[in-house]
Amino acid sequence: MRSMQKAPGYKQKLDWTEEGYNSGLVYVQLKIDKKPVGFIEYAPGEAAWRVVHADGYMVIHCLWVGVTGMGYGTQLIQQCIQDAKQLGKKGVVVLSNADTSWAPESSIFKKNGFEYVGKAPYSFELYVYKFRDDPNPYFPDNWNERLERFNQGLTILRTDQCPYLEVATQNIIQAAKSVNIEPEIIHIRDRSEMMELSPTPYGVFNVIFQGQLISFHRLTPHSFAKKLIAIIKD
């Protein structure tokens, strides 16, 4: 959203990032000739905004590269690994999903020595780069119970971690109005609440309707409305 700096989501992300620095959040931007070509965001496992038990590890939130084939992604990953080593961490953890670009794809991490250590519903996988023989990070195992908490109506669980989550939320509100549904919005403010409530490992954005996951990433209002209508008809 660099070209949309007046957008609410952009401002929310800036505030969220500044607050996260107090808990060890790191944001690294790679520039070539003063032009951004990639970035990586990561945080200590105890303060990470992904639903994974990874105390003592560094957890990657996001990895983005605008120019492929130049090794920029590897440079950013290696920067994270070196930071984790210097801080005495057990290693580095990343949440991957091959079905959506809202979580990093695993291939670049495998090339950089990360190993698969777990899976969760909706195609989520967990990878780790370990510095020594410590216990692996792991996912919770009560995903169905988490969904069952939201078996009535439409619920949006959101944070400000991604600048596009405000747009995603407004798209759901628009879709819900088109089918005469009033959503409940739960704005998650801390990691402990996210770890308790989120029905997916992504953690920072989830939409549930009558106990079924609608999405954990942005969709158009039309796509959201189609999903809602399909569940209503069932």
Side-chain angles (χ1 to χ4, degrees), residues 57-94:
Y57 287 90
M58 193 70 82
V59 177
I60 295 173
H61 289 160
C62 306
L63 174 68
W64 173 82
V65 175
V67 181
T68 60
M70 303 296 291
Y72 298 148
T74 289
Q75 289 184 45
L76 291 165
I77 292 169
Q78 290 300 319
Q79 176 68 51
C80 177
I81 290 172
Q82 291 305 312
D83 281 355
K85 283 182 177 179
Q86 291 178 3
L87 291 170
K89 299 298 183 183
K90 299 174 182 177
V92 179
V93 177
V94 67

Side-chain angles (χ1 to χ4, degrees), residues 166-184:
E166 177 64 26
V167 174
T169 300
Q170 294 304 317
N171 285 355
I172 302 166
I173 294 172
Q174 182 179 335
K177 286 182 178 179
S178 71
V179 292
N180 297 314
I181 295 174
E182 184 68 27
E184 177 186 6

